[in-house]
Amino acid sequence: MIRFKKHPDKTEDILKILHPIVKEWFFSRFKEFSLPQKYGILEVHSRNNVLISAPTGATKTLTAFLSIINELVDSAEKGILEDKIYAVYVSPLRALNYDIEFNLKQPLKEIQELFKKHSKKMQEIRIATRTGDTSASEKSAMLKKPPHILITTPETLSIVLSAKRFREKLNKVDWLIVDEIHALAENKRGTMLSLAIEFLDRLNNYSLTRVGLSATVSPIEEIAKFLVGFNGEQPRNCKIIDVQFIKQLDLKVISPVNDYIYTDYQTQHKALYALLHNIIQEHKTTLIFTNTRASTERVVDTLKTMFPKYYTDNTIAAHHSSLSKDIRLDVEDKLRKGQLKCVVSSTSLELGIDIGYIDIVVLLSSPKSVARALQRCGRSGHQLHSITKGRLVTLDRDDLVECSIILKDAIEKKIDKVHIPRNALDVLSQMIYGFLINESILEDELFKIIRGSYSYHTLKREDFNSVIGYLTGESLSLEESNVYAKLIRFEDNTLKTRGKLSRVLFMTNVGTIPDEARIRVKLGNKVIGYLDEAFLERLRPGDVFVLGGSTYEFRYSRGNTAVVKTSIGRPPTIPSWISEMLPLSFDIALDISKFRRYVNEMLEQKKSKQEILKFIKKYLYVDNNAASAIYTYMYEQFMFSKIPHDKRVIIETFNDGELHYAVFHTIFGRRVNDVMSRAVAFYLYVKNKTKLNIGISDNGFYISSEKKLNLGKPLESLALQDIRKLMEKAIENTEVLKRRFRNCAVRSLMILRSYKGHTKSVSRQQFSSQRLLKYLTENFKDFPILKEAKREVLEDLMDIENAIKVFNDIKDKKITVEQISLPFPSPFATKLVLEGKTDIFRMEDRLKFLKELHQKILVDISRRYKNKKVDIETLKESFSYDEFWKELEEQKEFEQEENRELMKLEFIAIADKIDATADQKRKMIELIDGYNQFDEKFIKWVYDFIQNKASLLSPKLARFLVSRLKEIKP
């Protein structure tokens, strides 16, 4: 039974259970018990499963350990402390593990000194950390003298449970502590841990006391179930201690400028960094969070450049996952010592690692969820009674609305829900194999153990049987693909691992985090650069992207190589940073939609501007400037188009002179929009048989094409379909499925990363997985690992469940769909349509373009509403994204005087490789040099040359030649 503990225990009751020396030590360090301690110490002491949810710095860890230390000290004084592991502590970060080891050893050292002071003796209480970094000698020492408290990671816990000798040290464990459980539950590391805990509990005759420690999280009841699992159909008992909001919050949304549209780039840029500089200088230590690694580096570099007297390598540092472990540890160490004035991070400092005192956190742009905002801001005021101080800095109007809603929900204690993966068949395959190394288990019993895990409580027997069929090789033989059976099924239906190398094989291939790959990008036979694999997942054939300042069209991938061709005259369709962006949570998206609906209703009711401003300020807790900016944004959308919201989807169509666009305003978050955009694109491709471009964001998506689209009623039609089946079809042969299948194949041990001391490169893993994927797709579509890859894409990467909910609401007419034809993008659509082109636009040009488009929108509104204050002559100007982009490209090519000379030198370097006459080569030099009169035959030859010999030309020379051809007179 899951229940909340409503009242704290009395201080005198806690004091009764504390050993006198422990009590003396505690009050020499602290004045009183914290609120989490008043709720939790006696629960841990009484062996009750408990989940403690409290902000960073609220003494969760000490709450969990104090009763355990107290009992160990009591046994140590009596001389009855055994050579066994009493408590296992698991966290997602190795660095956090070393923090805990240090923070436990220091109190125990101080307690030992108090014993000496009182002329008393106690046995040594041992603490040790075991991770992938632990040396062989340290492991051997743990076998001889096991630590009383073992600190480890999910992966290492799985390994030691399958290690024959160490496993024996884990059969008398009293407590299991899972730290940062909210961060583990939402990914496959947590899935693996949930199974490992079930087997650890079974090893201890189901007497394990489980303690979970979590920062701000929702739904907290589900996290409690994740911690304790199930006994039959009912969750095991667990008490929830919910003190998530005990610390005082000082959170504000701020902007570096008052106007997002008409402030030029240089002014915005200077204002932003002046704002950051002032915040940093007003505080002792500032932590700035960005949403991408590239932004992290850019912020550090810009602050150093703009304020060189204040920021050097000794006062400011970057911290993100792409930096080496040594650099990250050095930054953390300097933070603890108070040596750094500012640290800029992407996501690597979100968890509760002890990094010393930080008095303010700045979130640069939206954190995309309330939980993440509170977790990040919770790094400030790390001490219990300090104030959590955070500033959300907004950079555009969408960001302002988003951050304001996040602020509102944080103040009102409304936390968005965490997504917990369910029934992951790849992790299941790996863990079944690991736990059958030491013993044979009946199939029925194994199924029962697995269903005790929250992550597998709804596992179907047919899916379990299919995994066993794969592992035994009975359902499908894959030996020709070097995938061999790993289990033996005996006549009595017991299962056991096959082969002498099973333990080594498991220990060298355990884990759920996929190997990272750098993707080579090849133009012909030439490698022109590299991409992140996460970016490649987003690409579809025909997508255009920027690499090294030039544009390329993606054709296909082979292994870890992406094959491209030059893209001349086409702007990018997908920005380079898309794979790093955090998705907006579905709950926040709905809250933004509801807010839009409320404003829309007030505008329809012709409420005055002052009434609506008053509502916005009260509803969102924002100041006058923010309320005014939000009102203007909503009013412009209302007047020019219609305001989409949670009860209404708006589809806007327009032609920019080059492409036909259909913009779907579906503010449900990027994960839902990923599903909806692919479903709509699949539907429209079947309907139109034409090449489509897709762009997605948290606020919607667009489909564009060179041909006019026959839209029909795409969302209403799709609402009548089986969306899951349609999406499974839509993701076939996509890069995302190819990459995710490889990860699943490695996790399930179909493909071994390491075998007999040899490591298989990511590239070879990908080649093997693509062959397997092709074979399975053609012959065995229900194979469990292929099924899991599709589930991971649709449920974990995307959000098909909420997408289906949206389509059902459309079918049931709870959500209406309206189509509107417009002359150009509406205010809400502008950012979405422009996002793909931001790799080409300089920020100055982007802001100039937004300003010009905004003026056109105002003019159109004034024309329709007979407002003579705005000059309607500007409406006659043509509008084209692509023309604007081309102008910028040409401008950049001719900015430098020496450009022609460089182009001539480049052509001369390749002239010997060109199959052309001397006269043609001479004329080509003249063309580059600026001569403008050539015959049509030569012009046609140049066009053919650019088209057919692209591999010889650099993208820059190709663009230059195209721009020159436009200028000449035949």
Side-chain angles (χ1 to χ4, degrees):
M1 183 179 178
I2 307 293
R3 57 192 179 94
F4 287 82
K5 185 168 182 176
K6 295 182 179 179
H7 304 289
D9 295 308
K10 295 177 181 177
T11 298
E12 51 267 33
D13 290 336
I14 301 172
L15 292 174
K16 286 177 186 176
I17 64 127
L18 289 184
H19 186 283
I21 300 292
V22 174
K23 189 190 305 180
E24 183 180 346
W25 168 81
F26 182 88
F27 287 105
S28 70
R29 296 281 301 273
F30 309 98
K31 291 181 179 179
E32 59 183 354
F33 293 119
S34 67
L35 195 59
Q37 289 163 358
K38 289 179 180 179
Y39 273 96
I41 289 173
L42 284 183
E43 297 301 332
V44 179
H45 173 77
S46 302
R47 304 293 205 277
N48 292 325
N49 295 330
V50 61
L51 172 65
I52 305 168
S53 182
T56 301
T59 71
K60 294 189 296 289
T61 308
L62 185 56
T63 301
F65 272 116
L66 191 60
S67 289
I68 297 170
I69 290 172
N70 184 68
E71 191 154 327
L72 294 178
V73 166
D74 186 62
S75 296
E77 184 186 27
K78 295 173 181 175
I80 58 173
L81 202 61
E82 300 177 46
D83 281 340
K84 73 161 195 170
I85 297 172
Y86 286 84
V88 175
Y89 169 92
V90 181
S91 87
L93 286 178
R94 292 179 186 178
L96 185 54
N97 286 336
Y98 294 120
D99 266 355
I100 294 299
E101 183 179 4
F102 173 81
N103 289 332
L104 282 176
K105 284 183 176 178
Q106 187 62 31
L108 287 172
K109 181 182 177 183
E110 292 168 4
I111 288 170
Q112 183 74 266
E113 288 171 356
L114 285 174
F115 266 88
K116 289 179 183 177
K117 177 184 172 183
H118 292 286
S119 302
K120 294 182 178 181
K121 291 183 179 180
M122 63 174 275
Q123 292 173 277
E124 179 192 10
I125 298 173
R126 295 187 296 272
I127 297 165
T129 298
R130 176 156 177 171
T131 68
D133 295 332
T134 306
S135 66
S137 60
E138 289 172 317
K139 293 175 187 176
S140 179
M142 286 184 208
L143 283 172
K144 293 175 184 175
K145 282 195 172 184
H148 300 113
I149 299 175
L150 174 67
I151 300 167
T152 190
T153 61
E155 293 80 8
T156 302
L157 178 61
S158 299
I159 288 173
V160 295
L161 282 168
S162 64
K164 189 173 182 180
R165 293 176 64 196
F166 204 91
R167 173 186 166 93
E168 296 169 359
K169 310 297 181 184
L170 291 167
N171 59 7
K172 293 182 181 178
V173 176
D174 294 317
W175 294 277
L176 170 78
I177 300 173
V178 182
D179 202 353
E180 303 291 340
I181 193 170
H182 60 282
L184 283 167
E186 64 184 357
N187 55 53
K188 286 189 174 180
R189 293 184 77 197
T191 305
M192 180 177 71
L193 177 62
S194 73
L195 280 176
I197 293 173
E198 290 305 310
F199 279 88
L200 177 63
D201 207 355
R202 175 175 175 269
L203 195 61
N204 287 275
N205 297 314
Y206 295 100
S207 62
L208 199 63
T209 299
R210 309 185 193 200
V211 180
L213 307 178
S214 176
T216 309
V217 70
S218 177
I220 196 167
E221 296 93 330
E222 294 303 302
I223 298 296
K225 292 175 188 175
F226 176 83
L227 171 69
V228 298
F230 286 77
N231 185 6
E233 294 305 312
Q234 296 298 318
R236 296 185 180 96
N237 292 335
C238 183
K239 288 186 180 179
I240 296 174
I241 296 170
D242 184 5
V243 285
Q244 296 185 85
F245 296 96
I246 60 171
K247 293 180 72 175
Q248 187 178 341
L249 300 178
D250 175 9
L251 306 178
K252 290 179 183 176
V253 173
I254 57 176
S255 170
V257 294
N258 292 328
D259 190 308
Y260 294 101
I261 300 295
Y262 291 97
T263 306
D264 65 81
Y265 170 69
Q266 288 299 329
T267 303
Q268 283 198 29
H269 182 76
K270 289 178 181 177
L272 170 62
Y273 284 95
L275 174 67
L276 294 179
H277 174 64
N278 289 336
I279 290 172
I280 295 166
Q281 294 308 311
E282 288 169 3
H283 297 84
K284 181 182 177 184
T285 307
T286 301
L287 175 58
I288 300 174
F289 275 106
T290 70
N291 284 346
T292 67
R293 288 165 289 183
S295 297
T296 294
E297 295 288 357
R298 185 167 60 249
V299 170
V300 172
D301 183 65
T302 306
L303 283 169
K304 284 181 177 179
T305 303
M306 289 182 68
F307 307 99
K309 292 182 180 179
Y310 294 90
Y311 305 108
T312 65
D313 291 341
N314 295 322
T315 58
I316 190 170
H319 190 293
H320 57 74
S321 57
S322 292
L323 295 172
S324 71
K325 174 187 171 185
D326 290 341
I327 292 175
R328 295 199 307 271
L329 290 176
D330 182 57
V331 172
E332 291 160 18
D333 186 54
K334 286 179 178 176
L335 260 177
R336 287 190 195 94
K337 293 175 180 176
Q339 295 174 351
L340 291 173
K341 188 74 175 171
C342 177
V343 171
V344 187
S345 177
S346 51
T347 59
S348 52
L349 284 178
E350 283 182 339
L351 301 182
I353 181 174
D354 180 13
I355 53 173
Y357 182 75
I358 291 167
D359 40 353
I360 189 169
V361 170
V362 176
L363 307 186
L364 202 54
S365 192
S366 168
K368 300 295 180 180
S369 87
V370 180
R372 189 177 293 112
L374 290 172
Q375 287 157 17
R376 288 180 171 184
C377 291
R379 309 300 287 132
S380 70
H382 200 283
Q383 284 79 7
L384 178 60
H385 299 293
S386 300
I387 295 172
T388 292
K389 190 173 184 180
R391 297 292 180 263
L392 285 73
V393 179
T394 63
L395 303 176
D396 58 50
R397 298 196 292 185
D398 284 318
D399 212 28
L400 174 61
V401 175
E402 203 171 289
C403 287
S404 299
I405 290 291
I406 288 172
L407 174 68
K408 170 187 171 63
D409 285 354
I411 291 171
E412 295 178 359
K413 304 178 182 179
K414 182 181 176 184
I415 311 300
D416 32 10
K417 300 179 186 70
V418 67
H419 166 72
I420 305 174
R422 304 294 288 269
N423 304 320
L425 302 182
D426 53 348
V427 178
L428 181 62
S429 302
Q430 181 185 131
M431 298 303 280
I432 286 175
Y433 183 70
F435 295 132
L436 291 175
I437 288 170
N438 290 296
E439 60 178 318
S440 58
I441 303 177
L442 281 166
E443 268 188 79
D444 289 346
E445 183 186 353
L446 183 62
F447 183 63
K448 183 180 177 183
I449 296 167
I450 289 164
R451 291 256 302 188
S453 156
Y454 173 91
S455 299
Y456 293 93
H457 182 61
T458 58
L459 180 70
K460 295 177 182 176
R461 184 63 189 241
E462 62 193 67
D463 286 330
F464 171 79
N465 291 340
S466 71
V467 168
I468 298 302
Y470 146 60
L471 291 171
T472 58
E474 294 170 1
S475 60
L476 178 68
S477 176
L478 295 170
E479 290 192 2
E480 289 183 3
S481 300
N482 297 318
V483 179
Y484 299 96
K486 295 170 178 61
L487 299 183
I488 302 171
R489 190 202 307 263
F490 297 102
E491 290 182 3
D492 62 351
N493 281 335
T494 58
L495 297 163
K496 185 75 172 68
T497 51
R498 179 194 298 262
K500 297 178 180 179
L501 293 175
S502 54
R503 181 173 281 105
V504 174
L505 189 151
F506 176 75
M507 290 183 172
T508 52
N509 289 278
V510 71
T512 63
I513 302 172
D515 293 331
E516 291 187 5
R518 289 184 78 208
I519 306 299
R520 290 177 300 178
V521 181
K522 292 185 77 172
L523 179 68
N525 293 320
K526 182 182 178 183
V527 176
I528 57 171
Y530 294 87
L531 297 173
D532 287 337
E533 191 169 20
F535 181 70
L536 181 64
E537 281 187 355
R538 299 282 180 180
L539 294 180
R540 306 172 183 85
D543 272 339
V544 177
F545 64 95
V546 175
L547 182 62
S550 300
T551 52
Y552 300 94
E553 181 180 322
F554 174 66
R555 293 175 61 200
Y556 61 88
S557 74
R558 184 179 293 124
N560 278 347
T561 299
V563 179
V564 301
K565 64 180 180 180
T566 54
S567 177
I568 300 171
R570 282 187 65 200
T573 59
I574 184 165
S576 60
W577 42 260
I578 191 71
S579 61
E580 285 192 64
M581 286 299 291
L582 296 164
L584 182 69
S585 78
F586 182 69
D587 296 327
I588 294 295
L590 285 184
D591 286 344
I592 294 172
S593 292
K594 288 174 185 174
F595 169 70
R596 285 181 174 184
R597 173 159 54 87
Y598 298 150
V599 174
N600 181 73
E601 288 170 354
M602 296 182 79
L603 288 168
E604 286 180 340
Q605 294 164 11
K606 302 190 184 308
K607 298 283 187 183
S608 70
K609 179 179 179 179
Q610 292 308 314
E611 285 179 287
I612 300 174
L613 283 171
K614 184 178 179 181
F615 163 76
I616 292 172
K617 284 190 285 186
K618 184 178 179 182
Y619 188 82
L620 295 180
Y621 306 100
V622 293
D623 61 17
N624 290 331
N625 287 338
S628 180
I630 292 169
Y631 169 81
T632 302
Y633 191 31
M634 297 291 168
Y635 180 76
E636 289 171 2
Q637 178 70 22
F638 178 81
M639 297 296 287
F640 182 71
S641 175
K642 289 187 177 182
I643 294 179
H645 48 67
D646 59 324
K647 304 294 183 186
R648 178 172 70 185
V649 170
I650 301 296
I651 304 174
E652 297 173 348
T653 59
F654 66 92
N655 182 350
D656 75 347
E658 297 279 338
L659 296 173
H660 296 270
Y661 282 86
V663 178
F664 293 72
H665 290 278
T666 51
I667 181 160
F668 301 116
R670 186 180 280 106
R671 292 177 63 227
V672 170
N673 287 336
D674 207 346
V675 175
M676 297 187 74
S677 64
R678 288 173 191 262
V680 169
F682 190 75
Y683 169 87
L684 291 179
Y685 177 77
V686 171
K687 193 176 183 69
N688 292 270
K689 296 292 189 294
T690 187
K691 186 177 180 181
L692 302 171
N693 299 318
I694 305 174
I696 67 168
S697 76
D698 291 309
N699 294 348
F701 61 93
Y702 69 78
I703 310 289
S704 67
S705 173
E706 292 180 2
K707 297 180 181 179
K708 187 172 182 179
L709 292 168
N710 176 13
L711 282 180
K713 293 190 173 182
L715 297 180
E716 295 93 324
S717 300
L718 286 166
L720 301 173
Q721 307 297 318
D722 184 328
I723 297 298
R724 186 176 284 272
K725 282 187 178 179
L726 186 146
M727 282 302 299
E728 285 181 0
K729 184 73 177 172
I731 63 173
E732 283 183 5
N733 300 317
T734 59
E735 288 301 320
V736 66
L737 183 62
K738 291 177 188 175
R739 303 284 147 184
R740 296 292 168 141
F741 176 76
R742 184 198 83 221
N743 296 341
C744 294
V746 171
R747 286 191 203 102
S748 63
L749 309 179
M750 288 182 74
I751 296 172
L752 301 177
R753 288 177 296 185
S754 179
Y755 183 65
K756 293 186 176 179
H758 298 285
T759 301
K760 197 169 194 174
S761 69
V762 181
S763 181
R764 290 189 61 81
Q765 290 174 27
Q766 190 62 40
F767 272 116
S768 300
S769 71
Q770 285 184 212
R771 284 198 302 268
L772 278 169
L773 178 60
K774 185 175 185 296
Y775 176 76
L776 293 172
T777 301
E778 292 173 355
N779 299 286
F780 198 15
K781 289 191 175 183
D782 290 330
F783 191 74
I785 309 309
L786 176 55
K787 184 176 180 178
E788 170 56 25
K790 291 177 180 178
R791 187 211 64 78
E792 181 179 316
V793 170
L794 297 178
E795 295 182 13
D796 299 347
L797 178 65
M798 303 178 193
D799 185 359
I800 195 166
E801 296 301 328
N802 280 319
I804 289 172
K805 181 180 180 295
V806 171
F807 277 118
N808 285 338
D809 284 350
I810 291 171
K811 181 175 67 176
D812 297 337
K813 302 193 184 308
K814 293 178 182 177
I815 295 176
T816 61
V817 182
E818 297 181 38
Q819 292 188 25
I820 302 174
S821 178
L822 296 171
F824 30 78
S826 69
F828 282 10
T830 302
K831 183 182 176 184
L832 168 60
V833 178
L834 190 60
E835 272 183 348
K837 309 175 200 307
T838 53
D839 282 338
I840 288 294
F841 281 8
R842 295 173 299 183
M843 279 304 298
E844 301 96 308
D845 298 321
R846 185 171 184 267
L847 291 172
K848 176 186 172 186
F849 180 77
L850 287 171
K851 178 180 175 182
E852 290 177 359
L853 180 57
H854 186 255
Q855 288 172 339
K856 292 177 188 294
I857 289 169
L858 295 182
V859 168
D860 190 70
I861 291 171
S862 70
R863 178 182 60 81
R864 281 192 267 162
Y865 293 92
K866 310 297 182 186
N867 185 343
K868 302 297 183 183
K869 292 181 181 179
V870 184
D871 179 13
I872 64 172
E873 287 300 311
T874 54
L875 274 176
K876 296 178 181 178
E877 298 175 12
S878 63
F879 168 76
S880 170
Y881 278 109
D882 292 85
E883 283 303 317
F884 189 82
W885 176 76
K886 288 174 186 175
E887 287 171 13
L888 290 175
E889 283 296 289
E890 290 170 11
Q891 178 187 335
K892 279 190 277 185
E893 297 293 354
F894 289 96
E895 275 177 351
Q896 296 180 336
E897 291 182 8
E898 66 270 20
N899 197 50
R900 291 179 189 274
E901 293 302 316
L902 291 173
M903 293 299 98
K904 273 199 293 185
L905 290 172
E906 191 168 320
F907 177 75
I908 291 167
I910 63 170
D912 291 341
K913 301 176 184 177
I914 297 172
D915 182 17
T917 66
D919 185 57
Q920 286 170 328
K921 293 179 183 179
R922 177 184 57 78
K923 286 181 177 178
M924 185 72 89
I925 295 292
E926 291 176 348
L927 173 68
I928 295 171
D929 218 19
Y931 188 68
N932 280 342
Q933 294 195 5
F934 298 95
D935 57 76
E936 291 185 7
K937 185 178 178 181
F938 172 72
I939 294 171
K940 183 179 183 304
W941 177 81
V942 177
Y943 272 116
D944 290 342
F945 173 73
I946 294 170
Q947 189 69 30
N948 300 322
K949 302 291 183 182
S951 60
L952 290 173
L953 297 172
S954 72
K956 189 172 183 179
L957 179 54
R959 285 200 307 273
F960 183 87
L961 290 173
V962 169
S963 65
R964 284 291 296 116
L965 286 172
K966 289 179 181 178
E967 295 179 349
I968 64 174
K969 300 173 183 178

